[in-house]
Structure formats: structure tokens, C-alpha cells
């Protein structure tokens, strides 16, 4: 049967001037790209078809065009062009965007054109795969992240332009808020509305398969990017199967970290939860019920997702060939391809892709059944997912009061003795150096509101010890009606925007709060976490007649951080981010019936040096606040009294924080060197006494020392702690060290540094190496 099918493919493409490689798989047919280097001119000379058997019974057929010798050169040139189109990234195509109609009208359309105006169908003309080893697909972006206008490919219009969807004559926007991922589809796929899917029980939704691209960079409408497939979610929308693929731009710096769906949960905790909840709730503001999901609401793995892609690819081919009984299907789908016309220059390539497809059977293949069963078993073995829970465990916060009530508070405390830690006053502004970043000026960022969320959490600056609470107004808890935040939002500790000082560049006084920060990195940071960041710029917002600076920063350990050092880099590397931040703050009060916010300094984001000046001013103002130098007259005292009162409740000093990871940023810099004694949290009194004795021995030798307790879930924080010290004693024998602790020691030793298990051994190393170094 395979031999016969292969011969039929050869016959179907005779006369075409392009060559492709076709693979016949059990139960389905998949088109794959020919990437090998044998596409030379000689390959297109008249020759019989070549066939060879691959492992597993797959037949590979190469189909050259029979041609006269005189035709070889021009045919080869044409073939070379289409081989590039069909088998490589479409980034090499010279596309032009052609827009018709006015923006924000029913007539607006975005076409892609090639070769002096020839229209390119984003559904039919773009190859599905950009490479097969590794597997990469072409993703067509319809809706960029940070936006909400519902753009989509017009599947029933000639040339398949992109338009803004409408309903009952009204252009559609997502009332749920801005998308936190790039949204679009895979070309040459189709979810068949005539056949129920065996795993969901519902027919397809009559559209190309949808994609959520989770990379950090916004992708513009109509752009085509190579993506890595990670998994898929089975949404049921109006009793139709509506698959949502999860992918990442293959060129995103984070792409190498994720290869399957479980990697997404591990590397980007909260991302999958965000995607599922978005699709569950996005219709609720329109008065509709929540959407539902098949497969126990699980995200299926990459293998399962590829099977779904193959299925929808085969359905598209059958649709184009006319093999599907129309039923409720609108025949304009096929017309949208045909009407692009034979002169389009690419239709031969499309026809080539269609011929030879076999309709996938209704029965599940063995590989699909295994993929579904294994994925479900893997997911069922996992604990119930709760966003950020694994990160919060290392922060040791105390949750007081029922969540989603006015009494709810998140109070950071020391783990050993549960002393309150003020995230405003006790955490230092400057962050410790990180490995390889000694020349960078890093700051501690306190996260109040994680990205992809909307509850308005904030440091309670007027409460003892400054816990984090959800803001309220007139007795009601506040959420941003504008939608979810696209960045982690919080503040810099030990800063204060002085409400008595008129800033000369804005003409307004400060807002009486710590300095606000927008952290734009890839990861969602939990409420109450402290993260070292580097600043990129600052925006001067004016809110209710007060200066309200918005610092833009990125986590120092984010994989984008090395290439982004200032506002210019940010606009170049992740275009659209600054616009999204400014428009968010301009409009977030509008749903409450308030006017738009305004900005000083011509609405510009100022550079790094200017930003550091703002930070220094706010740090100096904070020092005056805590020293009691601010608020000397009655009117000013009324503004600052509660802020100073919060200091009393903190009840901690830098010295009292020592011995716990929460005080990392406050550790002293001893001129003779500082040593850290690491002991496992929960050790017995005897070991703890030995640790204290070790620390005293180090101090007696003229150095300073701290005893720090740790557990496995805190080891990620230890590297920066050890980095700041001259020496480190690890109070865990080699044979008893966990994999994570061994990893920490290995990182230290890999840099040519030494470790010790006793103070004597450590001091001996220090004596022999008087110059500062790690030991």
C-alpha cells in the first residue's frame, strides 16, 4: 500500500518544478521539509523517481521534474526559490505588509504580499513546518501580547487577510484585558467541524489550530515566527473542540530551557495556570458562562500535541482537495485558496502539498493512544498545581487572616525565631553582587503584584512591620479592572517619594510611598519575594497631582538581561514593552470612570543615569524619614507620622537579621574578610553549638562570621551569599549532602575555589592565600 501511495504522489506532482520529501506515517500523512544539501541544480535534471526505505517501514520518495537539458537552468532557479520557501524559515522571504481600509473600522485588512504585490495567504501559502530536525513550526501571529483587539485570519475571504473580528456589527476586543502571550495559529491546519475528536467528544471549530506563544517578546500582527511545540490544552467552546497549542519562539533566549510541557511548569511557574484561566474566563465579562476543558483540564505533552498538529494538517489537506462532505462547512474556505489565483506564484507549492494526503481515520493510532495515556498518567501523578507555591516555601512568609478578605496579610518573618521583617525598612536597597556581575549596580526589588495577575497587593506602609495586604476602597478589595499586569510590579525598599518635596522636573510633590518598579523579565515573581534587578529607565507619571515614578528594571538573572542594559536596548530587543507599560498606567483608572493619567518629561522614559539619580533622591528622603528629620511642622508630620510609626513595628535591626537568609542583603562587609558557617535547618543543639564555636574561632582570628541555617529549598539563595564572603564552612559531610548542595559546592569549586568543613582547614587556606578569594 505504501509503494502504491508513493507512486501516486509521483504522478500527482509530475510537471511541478518543486521537490519535497513526503513521509507516510501509520494512520496519517505528514508533509515534512527537505533540508538536506542535495538540492543542487543537477538534482532537477530528467531522472526517474528515487525511492528508499527508511526504518520502521516509512517510504521516502524524491520527485524530480522531467525536463529537457535546455530547461534545467531556469527550472533549477525556480525550484531553488520554492525549496527555500517550503523548507526553511520564512524569515528569508521578502514580505511586505499591505493594509487596506482605516484602522479600527470594519474595512481594515492586513495582507502579506511577495514579488511585487502578489498576495500571500497566511493560511494556505505558508508551510506548516520550518524544520523537521528538530521539529519547528511556523507560527502566524494574529494578536500580539500586551494587546486585546481580536484580530484573526479571515478564512472565508480571498487571500485570507487579517481583520478585526466583529459581532453584531461591533468590532471585538477582549473585555477580560490584554493577552499575556502572543496568540495566533499554525498555517495549513484545520479543525474539522464534521468529525468529533475521540479524546474530547466534540467536533472541531472550523478554524486553523490556535497557538499561545509564551516568549517574552511581543510579535506583531501578521508576523511569522519559527516555534517549538511544548504541549496542548483541549478547550471546549460552544460545544466545539478548540485546541490551544503552547509554543515558544525558537529564538527566544529561554527556548533551550523548555522542551516539553512539564518544563513549562518548572521553568515558568504560573504560565500554564494563566493560559487556562484566561480561556476559562474571557467570555464572562460578556455575560457568558465559563469555558470548559476536556482531558481533565490537563495540558498534554509535546508528543500528544504533535499528533494533534498532524491530524489538523491532514484535515486541511482533505479540505483543500474537496474530500470532505460539506455538511455545515462553508465552501468559502476552499474558495479562499482558489481565488488567490494561479498567478500567485505559490499555488503550485500549495497544490504539491495537498496531493498525496491520506485522510486520517477515526480510530486512534497506537502512537496517539500511548501519547494520550502516558501524558494523562504523568499529569495525574503530579500534585495539584498551585502557582508559585514552590517559590513561596523558601520565603517563609506568614499568611494571616482568610485570603480575599480585608484582614488578609502576608508578613515576612525570620524562619528561626519568626521575627517580623519589614520589606520596606529591613531589606537593603542595594542587592549583593551576583557571580559574573560584580561590575553591575544591582538593586533589591520587592514584588507586590506578580505578572499575569490583577489583585492590587501593596506594602502596608502605615502598619507595624509593613506586611503586604490587598488594597481596599470603601470597604471593597481592589482589583485592576483594566486586566492582568504584563510585568511584575512592586517597589524598591528603603526609598520614599517625599510628599513635601516638589520635583523640579515634574512640578509635583511625591506620593508618600516607596519608589514603584516594573520588572519586565520572563518569570512570574511571587508576592513578597526579593529579587536583584538592574535598572533600565524610569517614567514620570503624574497621578492625582503627585509625582509617581515608575522604574523599569529586569531581573539580573533573566536570560534576556545580558542583552538589555538600557531603554534603547529594551526597545530594540523587546519592542512594544515600553508602550505597553505607559499605556497601562495611562488607562488603568478609566474603567472606574476616572480620567486618563498624565506624564511629565514629554512622556519619555528617561535613561539609566537619570533613573539612578531618582533612586538616590528617594533613598535620601527615606533616610530623612527614618531618622526623624522629615516632617518638622504639623502639616508635614501628619503625612509622615504613620510611616515612621511602621518602623517601631518592624522591631528588627540588621544585626538581628543575621543568621537567616532573609538578611542576606544586610550582611556586613568586614575589611578583614567575612566567613559564613552553613548548617542544616533543624539541626540539633550540639551541632548548632559547634557552629557557634566555629564562628567564634573565625572572629578570634580577626575576621567576621555568621551562622546561617538553610534547607534544600533555600540553596538557590546561597550562591550569592557565599559569593559575598571570603570563606564558607559547609556543616554537612560530603556523604550526606543533597544533590542540590553538591551542586552549590561544585559551582564554587568549578571556579577554582576551595571549600572546607572545619574552621582550622578554612583558616589554613586563608593564611596561605592572604589576597581576597573564595574558600
Amino acid at each position: 500500500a505504501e509503494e502504491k501511495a508513493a507512486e501516486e504522489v509521483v504522478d500527482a506532482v509530475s510537471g511541478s518544478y518543486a521537490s519535497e520529501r513526503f513521509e507516510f506515517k501509520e494512520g496519517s500523512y505528514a508533509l515534512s521539509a527537505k533540508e538536506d544539501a542535495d538540492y543542487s541544480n543537477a538534482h532537477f535534471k530528467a531522472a526517474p523517481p528515487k525511492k528508499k526505505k527508511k526504518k520502521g517501514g516509512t517510504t521516502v520518495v524524491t520527485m524530480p521534474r522531467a525536463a529537457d537539458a535546455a530547461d534545467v537552468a531556469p527550472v533549477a532557479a525556480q525550484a531553488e526559490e520554492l525549496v527555500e520557501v517550503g523548507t526553511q524559515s520564512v524569515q528569508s522571504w521578502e514580505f511586505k505588509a499591505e493594509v487596506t481600509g482605516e484602522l479600527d473600522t470594519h474595512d481594515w485588512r492586513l495582507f502579506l504580499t511577495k514579488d511585487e504585490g502578489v498576495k500571500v495567504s497566511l493560511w494556505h501559502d505558508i508551510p506548516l513546518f520550518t524544520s523537521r530536525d528538530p521539529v519547528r513550526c511556523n507560527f502566524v501571529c494574529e494578536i500580539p501580547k500586551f494587546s486585546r483587539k481580536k484580530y484573526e485570519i479571515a478564512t472565508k475571504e480571498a487571500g485570507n487577510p487579517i481583520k478585526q473580528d466583529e459581532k453584531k456589527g461591533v468590532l471585538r476586543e477582549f473585555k477580560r484585558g490584554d493577552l499575556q502571550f502572543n496568540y495566533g495559529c499554525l498555517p495549513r491546519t484545520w479543525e474539522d467541524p464534521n468529525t468529533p475528536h475521540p479524546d474530547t467528544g466534540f467536533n472541531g471549530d472550523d478554524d486553523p489550530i490556535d497557538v499561545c506563544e509564551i516568549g517574552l517578546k511581543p510579535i506583531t500582527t501578521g508576523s511569522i515566527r519559527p516555534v517549538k511545540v511544548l504541549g496542548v490544552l483541549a478547550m471546549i467552546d460552544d460545544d466545539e473542540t478548540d485546541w490551544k497549542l503552547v509554543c515558544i519562539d525558537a529564538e527566544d533566549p529561554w527556548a533551550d530551557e523548555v522542551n516539553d510541557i512539564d518544563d513549562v511548569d518548572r521553568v515558568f511557574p504560573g504560565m500554564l495556570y494563566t493560559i487556562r484561566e484566561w480561556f476559562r474566563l474571557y467570555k464572562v465579562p460578556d455575560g457568558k458562562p465559563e469555558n470548559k476543558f476536556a482531558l481533565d483540564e490537563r495540558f498534554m505533552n509535546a508528543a500528544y500535541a504533535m499528533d494533534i498538529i498532524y491530524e489538523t494538517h491532514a484535515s486541511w489537506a482533505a479540505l483543500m482537495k474537496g474530500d470532505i462532505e460539506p455538511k455545515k462547512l462553508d465552501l468559502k474556505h476552499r474558495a479562499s485558496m482558489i481565488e488567490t489565483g494561479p498567478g500567485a506564484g505559490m499555488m503550485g507549492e500549495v497544490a504539491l502539498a495537498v496531493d498525496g494526503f491520506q485522510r486520517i481515520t477515526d480510530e486512534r493510532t497506537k502512537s496517539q493512544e500511548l501519547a494520550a495515556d502516558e501524558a494523562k498518567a504523568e499529569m495525574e501523578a503530579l500534585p495539584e498545581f498551585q502557582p508559585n507555591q514552590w517559590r513561596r516555601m523558601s520565603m517563609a512568609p506568614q499568611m494571616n487572616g482568610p485570603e480575599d478578605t480585608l484582614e488578609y496579610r502576608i508578613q515576612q518573618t525570620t524562619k528561626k525565631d519568626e521575627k517580623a521583617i519589614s520589606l520596606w525598612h529591613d531589606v537593603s536597597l542595594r542587592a549583593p553582587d551576583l557571580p559574573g556581575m560584580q561590575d553591575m549596580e544591582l538593586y533589591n526589588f520587592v514584588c507586590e503584584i506578580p505578572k499575569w495577575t490583577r489583585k492590587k497587593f501593596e506594602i502596608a506602609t502605615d502598619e507595624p512591620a509593613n506586611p503586604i495586604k490587598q488594597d481596599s476602597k470603601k470597604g471593597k478589595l481592589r482589583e485592576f479592572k483594566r486586566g492582568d499586569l504584563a510585568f511584575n510590579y512592586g517597589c524598591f525598599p528603603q526609598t520614599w517619594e517625599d510628599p513635601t518635596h516638589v520635583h523640579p522636573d515634574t512640578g509635583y510633590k511625591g506620593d508618600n510611598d516607596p519608589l514603584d518598579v516594573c520588572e519586565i523579565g520572563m518569570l512570574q515573581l511571587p508576592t513578597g519575594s526579593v529579587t536583584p534587578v538592574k535598572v533600565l529607565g524610569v517614567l514620570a507619571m503624574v497621578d492625582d497631582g503627585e509625582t509617581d515614578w515608575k522604574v523599569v528594571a529586569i531581573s539580573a538573572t533573566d536570560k534576556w538581561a545580558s542583552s538589555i542594559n538600557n531603554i534603547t536596548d529594551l526597545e530594540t530587543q523587546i519592542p512594544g514593552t515600553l508602550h505597553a507599560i505607559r499605556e497601562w498606567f495611562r488607562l488603568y483608572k478609566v474603567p472606574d470612570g476616572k480620567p486618563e493619567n498624565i506624564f511629565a518629561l514629554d512622556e519619555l522614559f528617561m535613561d539609566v543615569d537619570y533613573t539612578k539619580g531618582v533612586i538616590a533622591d528617594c533613598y535620601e528622603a527615606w533616610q530623612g524619614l527614618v531618622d526623624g528629620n522629615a516632617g518638622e511642622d504639623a502639616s508635614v508630620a501628619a503625612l509622615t507620622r504613620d510611616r515612621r510609626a511602621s518602623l517601631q513595628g518592624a522591631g528588627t535591626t540588621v544585626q538581628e537579621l543575621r543568621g537567616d537568609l532573609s538578611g542576606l542583603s544586610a550582611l556586613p562587609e568586614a575589611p578583614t574578610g567575612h566567613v559564613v558557617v552553613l548548617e542544616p535547618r533543624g539541626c540539633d543543639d550540639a551541632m548548632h553549638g559547634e557552629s557557634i564555636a566555629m564562628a567564634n574561632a573565625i572572629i578570634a582570628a580577626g575576621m567576621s562570621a555568621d551562622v546561617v541555617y538553610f534547607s534544600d529549598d533555600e540553596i538557590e539563595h546561597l550562591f550569592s551569599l557565599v559569593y559575598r564572603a571570603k570563606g564558607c564552612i559547609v556543616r554537612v559531610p560530603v556523604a550526606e549532602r543533597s544533590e542540590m548542595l553538591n551542586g552549590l559546592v561544585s559551582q564554587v569549586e568549578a571556579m577554582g575555589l576551595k571549600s572546607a568543613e572545619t574552621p582550622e582547614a578554612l583558616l589554613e587556606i586563608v593564611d596561605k592565600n592572604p589576597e581576597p578569594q573564595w574558600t
Side-chain angles (χ1 to χ4, degrees), residues 201-344:
F202 294 94
N203 296 355
D205 73 346
D206 197 20
D207 280 324
I209 192 169
D210 294 328
V211 175
C212 305
E213 192 283 319
I214 63 171
L216 186 59
K217 189 175 184 177
I219 301 174
T220 56
T221 299
S223 293
I224 305 164
R225 297 294 304 161
V227 294
K228 178 191 289 189
V229 177
L230 304 173
V232 69
L233 176 68
M235 188 175 89
I236 307 302
D237 186 359
D238 290 335
D239 292 333
E240 293 178 333
T241 301
D242 190 1
W243 297 104
K244 306 297 180 184
L245 289 169
V246 179
C247 302
I248 189 169
D249 191 315
E251 297 176 5
D252 190 287
W254 284 94
D256 290 342
E257 300 293 320
V258 286
N259 297 297
D260 213 328
I261 202 66
D262 57 344
D263 295 332
V264 179
D265 252 353
R266 175 179 56 84
V267 179
F268 310 130
M271 172 64 77
L272 297 182
Y273 176 86
T274 297
I275 292 173
R276 183 170 49 220
E277 293 311 295
W278 166 267
F279 287 111
R280 187 194 308 279
L281 300 172
Y282 83 95
K283 289 186 174 182
V284 172
D286 293 313
K288 295 186 176 182
E290 296 179 359
N291 281 320
K292 297 180 180 180
F293 305 91
L295 298 168
D296 298 324
E297 299 197 353
R298 305 293 190 183
F299 283 84
M300 308 304 284
N301 64 16
Y304 185 94
M306 287 307 303
D307 274 329
I308 298 301
I309 291 172
Y310 289 136
E311 287 178 12
T312 56
H313 192 32
S315 294
W316 168 84
L319 168 69
M320 293 297 99
K321 289 179 65 178
D323 290 347
I324 293 180
E325 186 70 26
K327 294 186 179 178
K328 76 169 187 175
L329 172 66
D330 192 324
L331 295 180
K332 288 184 179 179
H333 281 316
R334 281 204 295 276
S336 74
M337 182 192 81
I338 297 168
E339 290 173 16
T340 52

Side-chain angles (χ1 to χ4, degrees), residues 60-178:
V60 177
V61 185
T62 304
M63 301 148 291
R65 173 188 185 272
D68 297 331
D71 295 335
V72 167
V75 169
Q78 289 176 314
E80 191 171 22
E81 177 186 357
L82 279 187
V83 166
E84 178 180 343
V85 167
T87 66
Q88 297 180 7
S89 170
V90 295
Q91 305 308 306
S92 60
W93 295 15
E94 294 183 0
F95 280 139
K96 290 184 180 179
E98 179 182 313
V99 175
T100 62
E102 294 292 326
L103 187 65
D104 298 328
T105 70
H106 298 279
D107 300 323
W108 184 86
R109 297 292 186 274
L110 172 66
F111 291 89
L112 286 192
T113 62
K114 185 179 182 291
D115 299 335
E116 299 182 357
V118 174
K119 286 184 172 63
V120 176
S121 166
L122 287 167
W123 186 15
H124 305 306
D125 290 339
I126 307 299
L128 170 57
F129 296 107
T130 183
S131 70
R132 288 287 292 169
D133 187 18
V135 174
R136 299 290 182 265
C137 293
N138 278 316
F139 161 63
V140 177
C141 185
E142 296 166 310
I143 309 173
K145 66 188 300 184
F146 309 152
S147 68
R148 62 183 65 192
K149 293 180 181 178
K150 194 178 185 303
Y151 292 117
E152 62 182 16
I153 292 176
T155 57
K156 300 174 184 177
E157 295 185 15
N160 306 123
I162 290 178
K163 66 174 184 178
Q164 187 171 355
D165 190 25
E166 61 180 85
K167 191 167 187 179
K168 297 181 179 179
V170 178
L171 294 174
R172 293 184 65 189
E173 290 190 2
F174 292 118
K175 295 179 182 178
R176 171 79 182 158
D178 296 337

